[in-house]
Amino acid sequence: MRFAGAYLQMQREHWPDLADRGLLPEPKAAVTKAMAESYRRIHMGEQSATFDPAPFHGLVAGFGMMYPRYSAETSQTTSIIDQARNILRKAKADGRFVP
């Protein structure tokens, strides 16, 4: 839930117009809990990941993706949230929204 909240906060800072349109909810506990549960279900194969780009048409130049990770002590020493921060900053600079 912490990562979901950080993601929403960062994206709301990068894309305030999307937040104003309701495309980026506030990182409240109920929202981040639902995001974490959805991630768990997708990761476990219980549901498919879906994304509808239609509401973003004309608001972003395109879409991007990220793969921040931490799997062992030999992994990236930057925290997963810091990795996401760097990725989302670059994506915004390129006009790419990472759903």
Side-chain angles (χ1 to χ4, degrees):
M1 291 188 318
R2 184 169 159 241
F3 181 75
Y7 163 84
L8 286 175
Q9 186 61 41
M10 288 182 274
Q11 289 291 62
R12 289 174 62 84
E13 290 169 8
H14 289 307
W15 302 93
D17 53 325
L18 299 182
D20 291 345
R21 292 172 184 263
L23 296 172
L24 288 168
E26 291 186 38
K28 295 186 178 198
V31 172
T32 60
K33 184 176 180 179
M35 289 173 70
E37 179 56 23
S38 176
Y39 176 83
R40 186 200 65 78
R41 288 193 310 268
I42 291 166
H43 183 73
M44 299 303 289
E46 297 171 7
Q47 77 180 48
S48 297
T50 60
F51 172 68
D52 179 12
F56 297 86
H57 181 74
L59 302 175
V60 299
F63 299 98
M65 57 188 292
M66 67 176 166
Y67 182 58
R69 65 189 188 97
Y70 180 83
S71 58
E73 57 275 347
T74 59
S75 290
Q76 172 67 263
T77 56
T78 307
S79 76
I80 196 168
I81 290 175
D82 287 339
Q83 291 174 56
R85 180 176 291 110
N86 293 336
I87 293 165
L88 295 175
R89 183 182 309 118
K90 174 64 171 149
K92 173 58 177 172
D94 292 345
R96 307 290 182 206
F97 179 75
V98 177

